[in-house]
Amino acid sequence: MSKYRSIIEELNQISIDRDRNHVVENRGEHVIRSAINLIEQMERYYDAETAKDLTNRMINSIKGKDSTKFSRGIKKIIKESQGDDDASL
């Protein structure tokens, strides 16, 4: 094996040696910012009751580690929206 390592090998080693606490902190901040952005979008695009329902579903999905709770809520809204569109025709 060569005595010299490539730059890529060096960079990979740095990421392996990196403090895991910083990785968790960084990823946590990204997830929280994304969740806040999503909540703000739901509040902007849906009525207050629906936005609150979706926000609660999202939080419960995270707590329960089950994304289907949130997905069911979105599917319900889509179905109701399509029903409203059909009724207006």
Side-chain angles (χ1 to χ4, degrees):
M1 227 185 240
S2 171
K3 289 184 176 182
Y4 302 100
R5 295 194 302 191
S6 73
I7 292 174
I8 293 176
E9 289 172 326
E10 288 289 332
L11 291 173
N12 284 336
Q13 189 60 40
I14 290 170
S15 68
I16 290 170
D17 294 339
R18 190 171 172 194
D19 182 3
R20 294 292 172 208
N21 293 325
H22 289 107
V23 172
V24 170
E25 177 185 19
N26 190 318
R27 293 188 77 186
E29 287 175 0
H30 286 237
V31 168
I32 291 166
R33 274 191 233 124
S34 293
I36 290 168
N37 287 336
L38 180 57
I39 290 168
E40 288 172 349
Q41 281 186 347
M42 291 185 297
E43 290 172 344
R44 189 173 340 161
Y45 296 125
Y46 298 107
D47 61 83
E49 182 181 337
T50 302
K52 184 173 178 14
D53 178 54
L54 289 173
T55 299
N56 290 338
R57 285 176 184 269
M58 183 177 74
I59 291 168
N60 288 334
S61 291
I62 293 167
K63 283 181 182 179
K65 299 177 185 174
D66 180 9
S67 64
T68 59
K69 291 178 183 181
F70 184 75
S71 295
R72 279 195 305 266
I74 292 293
K75 288 176 184 172
K76 177 181 163 188
I77 290 169
I78 292 170
K79 186 176 179 181
E80 289 172 356
S81 174
Q82 288 173 343
D84 291 343
D85 290 345
D86 291 342
S88 65
L89 294 175

